[in-house]
Amino acid sequence: MTDIVDELKWRGLFALSTDEDALRKALADGPVTFYCGFDPTAPSLHLGHLVQVLTVRRLQQAGHRPLALVGGATGQIGDPRPTAERTLNDPETVAGWVQKLRRQIEPFLSFEGENAAVMVNNLDWTANLSAIEFLRDIGKHFRVNKMLAKDSVAKRLDSDQGISYTEFSYQILQGMDFLQLYRRYGCTLQQGGSDQWGNLTAGLDLIHRLEPDATVHAYGTPLMTKADGTKFSKSEGTAIWLDPEMTTPYAFYQFWLNTDDRDISTYARMLSFKSREELEELEKQTEERPQARAAQRALAEELTTLVHGAEQTAAVTAASKALFGQGELADLDEKTLAASLSEVPHVQVAELGLVVDLFAEVGLVASKSAARRTVKEGGAYVNNVKVAAEDAVPAKEDLLHGRWLVLRRGKKNLAAVEVTGA
């Protein structure tokens, strides 16, 4: 296999490291026990976490041993956000989220063989730690001036909100994690996002103070952003969740299918497990025939299968085709159809009326006269059937699963009507 550091760099997954040459040698000499942490500050992982989970998977496939930490302790505090104090969740809620995140992470890793993955929880070494022990044994080794220099802390100090001691102490807890995993499992590498660099190096510094003979490393991946520079953020409501109840498999698939051509090469290299040759061929196709969206389609199918399984992927690809007249809408199960229609303009009506009225009400056209013109020109479809008459009224038998109509203007403009009184 290609040198794993070179592979990570080619895929755009290598932003920072404490000593690249030393890390490269350690990984080449391997196997290395490494860890990546995930805080349960929500009931699901999101796209940013997926970058980390799949990078953990790559390192395991290269022969290294992963420790996947879901922070039952740090999740009760949360890494400081640059803008405002977090809302603290009660311990029972966090404990429930720990279990959900574990179940999301586990399918991506192998728990068999010489480099079998291990799931760990930092509540195991913090739950019985007294405040005096924490301050004397751990806090003693942190320097406040260095903690203040951390970017998210510095931004909060300059804001009107300031920062609580609770969030300020987060980096001490995360630093203690690395120390504990070094002592318990021989862990010598911590992986995380580049935005976590201050926390990653805090653990490394703590180990150097308490275990002076230890050789440990930290490595950070770049943040995944859009071509316009914006981030995926749960606080801004733009997160793509792995939980199918929070982001449906159809919406997950469509997100990748609709990826900007400027982003698709970056995302595919970071997230796909296709070979360099396969990805370079898809990049070539995107450059030569962007309208075919070959790279977007390939990544959408691969990631939806990884996250939601082959059966769900088949269902959502069938829905994606059927909505645009390339398959049978009646063959779609109700849940998949409802999820797909939630992503397009839709209205609820108490009873069926004229098709032209429905087209205008849902916003596919600007007015009823425009709807009549669309019908006359042959561009109006209900459930993929061309509407022939301006006074056409759908029958109850036309309703999909007894409640839905799929309206289409031309080839690409979709909307849905849900009949509540059917």
Side-chain angles (χ1 to χ4, degrees):
M1 180 179 173
T2 305
D3 179 284
I4 186 61
V5 173
D6 286 342
E7 179 72 5
L8 292 169
K9 283 191 166 186
W10 182 84
R11 290 183 175 275
L13 288 169
F14 199 98
L16 296 164
S17 73
T18 43
D19 186 329
E20 183 181 325
D21 291 338
L23 176 59
R24 188 185 294 270
K25 184 178 186 306
L27 291 169
D29 293 344
V32 168
T33 297
F34 69 101
Y35 98 93
C36 184
F38 305 87
D39 274 343
T41 54
S44 173
L45 298 174
H46 55 66
L47 186 54
H49 296 124
L50 184 62
V51 175
Q52 300 307 321
V53 174
L54 296 185
T55 304
V56 171
R57 181 184 174 112
R58 288 185 203 282
L59 286 165
Q60 185 179 34
Q61 290 180 346
H64 305 290
R65 181 194 185 203
L67 308 174
L69 184 151
V70 181
T74 44
Q76 295 186 46
I77 294 174
D79 190 32
R81 293 185 299 187
T83 53
E85 195 82 6
R86 288 181 179 272
T87 300
L88 298 184
N89 297 294
D90 62 74
E92 292 76 17
T93 297
V94 174
W97 290 352
V98 166
Q99 295 308 312
K100 288 187 175 183
L101 266 58
R102 285 177 63 111
R103 288 194 294 269
Q104 287 183 331
I105 293 168
E106 287 170 351
F108 292 96
L109 306 178
S110 172
F111 292 84
E112 299 177 350
E114 294 182 357
N115 66 330
V118 180
M119 299 295 300
V120 293
N121 185 342
N122 54 21
L123 195 62
D124 292 345
W125 52 82
T126 55
N128 297 319
L129 185 67
S130 73
I132 294 297
E133 290 172 317
F134 177 68
L135 292 172
R136 283 180 58 89
D137 299 340
I138 304 299
K140 172 69 176 175
H141 302 286
F142 283 78
R143 296 294 173 263
V144 171
N145 56 333
K146 194 166 185 178
M147 295 172 70
L148 291 172
K150 186 186 173 192
D151 188 50
S152 60
V153 172
K155 287 181 179 178
R156 287 279 292 280
L157 287 172
D158 290 336
S159 71
D160 294 336
Q161 293 85 0
I163 186 170
S164 70
Y165 179 76
T166 301
E167 288 196 5
F168 181 64
S169 66
Y170 177 90
Q171 56 190 295
I172 303 180
L173 286 175
Q174 187 168 326
M176 187 169 65
D177 290 345
F178 199 176
L179 174 66
Q180 288 291 332
L181 295 176
Y182 171 79
R183 288 174 171 174
R184 293 171 182 232
Y185 297 94
C187 177
T188 56
L189 169 64
Q190 181 179 183
Q191 169 208 321
S194 57
D195 60 331
Q196 290 282 309
W197 190 244
N199 294 329
L200 270 62
T201 55
L204 188 132
D205 292 344
L206 180 61
I207 292 174
H208 283 158
R209 287 179 178 273
L210 294 175
E211 305 283 351
D213 295 330
T215 300
V216 288
H217 311 273
Y219 147 64
T221 61
L223 291 180
M224 188 171 171
T225 57
K226 302 176 187 177
D228 61 10
T230 58
K231 301 176 183 178
F232 302 98
S233 169
K234 64 182 180 182
S235 60
E236 298 298 325
T238 57
I240 305 299
W241 301 97
L242 305 195
D243 187 322
E245 299 300 321
M246 298 173 70
T247 297
T248 66
Y250 182 85
F252 186 85
Y253 178 89
Q254 288 295 318
F255 169 79
W256 302 110
L257 189 62
N258 294 322
T259 298
D260 192 307
D261 288 341
R262 296 172 295 171
D263 291 320
I264 189 60
S265 174
T266 299
Y267 294 174
R269 289 190 182 203
M270 293 177 79
L271 299 170
S272 174
F273 285 86
K274 287 181 168 59
S275 68
R276 292 193 187 195
E277 293 74 20
E278 290 173 303
L279 292 175
E280 286 171 345
E281 174 59 28
L282 287 169
E283 289 169 8
K284 182 180 177 183
Q285 291 180 38
T286 299
E287 186 176 341
E288 294 176 351
R289 296 183 63 243
Q291 68 278 9
R293 306 192 76 73
Q296 284 92 335
R297 200 172 305 281
L299 187 62
E301 291 182 4
E302 181 180 2
L303 292 181
T304 307
T305 301
L306 271 173
V307 174
H308 297 296
E311 186 177 338
Q312 280 293 328
T313 303
V316 300
T317 53
S320 185
K321 292 176 181 178
L323 288 177
F324 294 95
Q326 299 171 17
E328 290 297 326
L329 286 166
D331 292 343
L332 303 179
D333 66 87
E334 185 172 4
K335 187 173 182 180
T336 301
L337 179 65
S340 63
L341 296 182
S342 70
E343 301 298 315
V344 302
H346 54 276
V347 295
Q348 290 184 332
V349 298
E351 58 185 18
L352 291 166
L354 291 171
V355 168
V356 291
D357 292 347
L358 296 175
F359 264 67
E361 187 169 352
V362 80
L364 274 177
V365 290
S367 64
K368 293 179 183 180
S369 60
R372 286 190 287 271
R373 188 163 56 251
T374 300
V375 170
K376 189 175 181 180
E377 293 171 352
Y381 297 82
V382 174
N383 293 349
N384 290 334
V385 177
K386 185 181 290 187
V387 180
E390 295 178 23
D391 60 352
V393 177
K396 285 188 176 181
E397 293 73 26
D398 296 329
L399 295 175
L400 300 166
H401 297 287
R403 58 191 280 222
W404 293 102
L405 290 175
V406 178
L407 310 185
R408 177 159 53 90
R409 178 172 61 85
K411 292 182 178 181
K412 296 184 178 181
N413 298 295
L414 284 174
V417 173
E418 181 182 10
V419 182
T420 58

